[in-house]
Amino acid sequence: MERLIGTVSRGIRCPIIRENDDLVKIAVDSVIKACESEGIKLKDRDVIALTESIVARSQGNYASIDDIAYDVKNKLGGGTIGVIFPILSRNRFAICLKGIAKGAKKIVLMLSYPSDEVGNALLTYDQIDEANVNPYSDVLTLDKYRELFGYNKHEFTGVDYVEYYKNLIEETGCEVEIIFANQAKTILKYTDCVLTCDIHTRARTKRILKEAGAKVVLGLDDILTCSVNGSGYNSKYGLLGSNKSTENKIKLFPKECKDLVLKIQSEILRLTNKHVEVMVYGDGAFKDPQGKIWELADPVVSPAFTDGLVGTPNELKLKYLADNDFKELSGEDLKNAISNSIKAKKSNLVGNMASQGTTPRQLTDLIGSLCDLTSGSGDKGTPIVLIQGYFDNYTD
């Protein structure tokens, strides 16, 4: 019988993961038991994905705000530090800010406006227009910001992040000055020691500041790159990708975990004779049309994946073929013509008109986004995702 179902994504329940748990065994057992309970048959090129959270937790990759403070003070001198371009997040950045503040005498906090890098808004563009402010050139003090815009609570969280971050810093005993600007070099009028907190634009920001004469320029990816007093760390991403664990502790992005995905792949092959692909995923990469938030606050969607997930989709656009190449056909003739085109497609369709409109993104970013939407970030209890049929096409 002809297959009538394409890609299927399933959340897999597993035990609550603790430090030093055998994640390979737990993941493999959870997937196999779920398949047995639901009558699911694993197939070659199925994808098993684990959320970065359970990987980091099994690694015990945690650090305290005191660990952050220690590293910040050692690397940035403990005096006046410019902290620029942070995202607006209670979960992602606020606890890091507490640690940073504990490692400094004064923080000059420079916020981008009208929104942060991932789309969390301080203001609307309508407010900017009405105030006749140019966000690309105008630098606002806190007093001027309040005069023009007052207090603005975030649409979803109900938090005025300006006040929230100001209070967090002051509660540590650190002095704070807040400015609003979108040009990195602005901070050098206040201090030459800078911690840039942007995620995906950090390399450019560092370059601009160094070329402008900054004495010390670090990013969040330069803090906790090695263990501090026995803390967790991430040698590649530092504080990037970290989350709040408790009021005084963060969970860092997973450390090296390529071995983990390879071991899970190998164990599934041993037990089922099926060659699956395996990945670790964090935030998906998509934008919310209502809140305007671009989801990707992690430095990458996937920090580790098996080799079969390298690359981008190589697909033909069915509607293009139907509307152009085979516009005179219908029914079984149309189906056969499109099927033959798919079977004969080249291994690289870049520049082919029939591939235009297919998604030109990395496989891990696409699959990771699907996983993030499937597992959610709340109480579903499915930190493992099984995806079947992702690499199928119309002819399979």
Side-chain angles (χ1 to χ4, degrees):
M1 182 179 176
E2 181 181 7
R3 285 179 59 186
L4 299 176
I5 296 176
T7 302
V8 177
S9 178
R10 296 180 176 92
I12 305 297
R13 290 184 177 171
C14 72
I16 302 299
I17 304 300
R18 297 295 190 190
E19 185 175 350
N20 296 321
D21 281 349
D22 185 345
L23 197 51
V24 173
K25 184 177 189 314
I26 290 172
V28 170
D29 288 350
S30 297
V31 169
I32 290 177
K33 288 177 181 176
C35 288
E36 290 173 348
S37 71
E38 298 295 325
I40 301 166
K41 292 183 179 180
L42 283 177
K43 300 180 179 67
D44 289 330
R45 297 219 77 188
D46 286 351
V47 179
I48 296 172
L50 294 78
T51 181
E52 59 83 20
S53 177
I54 62 172
V55 178
R57 280 158 57 194
S58 69
Q59 293 175 340
N61 204 19
Y62 294 89
S64 70
I65 60 173
D66 288 334
D67 297 327
I68 297 171
Y70 182 92
D71 211 26
V72 167
K73 187 173 183 178
N74 279 349
K75 292 176 176 177
L76 287 136
T80 298
I81 299 173
V83 175
I84 71 172
F85 301 152
I87 65 172
L88 308 174
S89 173
R90 296 167 298 172
N91 174 46
R92 290 284 190 172
F93 186 71
I95 191 163
C96 293
L97 182 59
K98 288 171 67 174
I100 294 165
K102 289 189 72 172
K105 290 182 179 179
K106 178 180 178 179
I107 283 180
V108 181
L109 181 65
M110 191 172 91
L111 300 174
S112 55
Y113 74 101
S115 64
D116 69 11
E117 178 187 5
V118 296
N120 291 299
L122 284 174
L123 306 164
T124 67
Y125 275 100
D126 287 337
Q127 286 175 291
I128 294 290
D129 293 342
E130 290 168 6
N132 196 29
V133 169
N134 184 344
Y136 302 104
S137 60
D138 293 349
V139 178
L140 307 178
T141 64
L142 178 58
D143 287 342
K144 187 63 177 178
Y145 174 88
R146 292 299 189 203
E147 176 190 331
L148 293 172
F149 305 113
Y151 288 76
N152 292 270
K153 293 186 176 181
H154 190 276
E155 177 182 5
F156 293 145
T157 65
V159 172
D160 181 296
Y161 279 94
V162 177
E163 190 71 10
Y164 179 51
Y165 281 179
K166 179 176 181 291
N167 291 340
L168 277 180
I169 295 169
E170 290 177 337
E171 285 168 4
T172 68
C174 180
E175 185 182 349
V176 60
E177 181 176 358
I178 299 178
I179 59 173
F180 303 81
N182 290 308
Q183 299 296 329
K185 291 185 289 187
T186 300
I187 195 64
L188 299 181
K189 296 176 182 178
Y190 301 83
T191 178
D192 58 4
C193 292
V194 185
L195 179 64
T196 182
C197 302
D198 45 348
I199 305 163
H200 307 289
T201 55
R202 63 189 185 275
R204 177 175 182 265
T205 301
K206 289 179 185 179
R207 174 180 58 78
I208 288 171
L209 289 168
K210 289 174 182 177
E211 290 174 353
K215 178 182 176 183
V216 180
V217 180
L218 297 176
L220 289 180
D221 56 329
D222 298 307
I223 305 300
L224 287 187
T225 52
C226 58
S227 181
V228 171
N229 301 320
S231 74
Y233 65 95
N234 190 301
S235 59
K236 187 173 184 179
Y237 297 119
L239 287 177
L240 289 178
S242 62
N243 294 87
K244 180 179 180 179
S245 175
T246 70
E247 293 302 320
N248 294 294
K249 187 168 69 172
I250 61 168
K251 175 194 66 60
L252 292 150
F253 209 50
K255 292 182 281 189
E256 173 57 45
C257 46
K258 183 64 178 276
D259 284 350
L260 172 71
V261 297
L262 292 174
K263 287 177 180 177
I264 292 173
Q265 183 184 56
S266 177
E267 189 66 3
I268 289 288
L269 181 63
R270 184 182 73 82
L271 293 172
T272 69
N273 201 34
K274 299 300 178 183
H275 183 88
V276 301
E277 304 298 343
V278 184
M279 64 182 286
V280 176
Y281 68 96
D283 275 346
F286 46 82
K287 186 171 182 176
D288 170 37
Q290 177 65 30
K292 308 297 187 293
I293 298 169
W294 182 41
E295 175 71 6
L296 188 57
D298 285 325
V300 291
V301 172
S302 178
F305 45 89
T306 50
D307 293 344
L309 297 177
V310 174
T312 60
N314 190 58
E315 301 171 344
L316 294 172
K317 196 78 169 179
L318 297 192
K319 65 182 181 182
Y320 180 89
L321 294 175
D323 292 345
N324 291 273
D325 295 30
F326 309 120
K327 61 184 177 182
E328 305 299 331
L329 302 179
S330 62
E332 196 68 18
D333 290 339
L334 176 60
K335 177 182 177 181
N336 290 336
I338 288 178
S339 296
N340 290 334
S341 292
I342 293 173
K343 290 174 182 177
K345 70 182 179 182
K346 296 179 180 179
S347 59
N348 186 344
L349 293 172
V350 173
N352 188 317
M353 283 297 294
S355 71
Q356 289 191 10
T358 58
T359 308
R361 294 171 58 190
Q362 297 295 318
L363 288 168
T364 49
D365 294 343
L366 292 163
I367 297 171
S369 298
L370 175 58
C371 292
D372 190 23
L373 290 168
T374 300
S375 63
S377 58
D379 58 8
K380 287 185 173 63
T382 55
I384 299 173
V385 175
L386 172 64
I387 298 174
Q388 296 189 294
Y390 190 84
F391 294 101
D392 292 353
N393 63 42
Y394 186 62
T395 68
D396 294 319

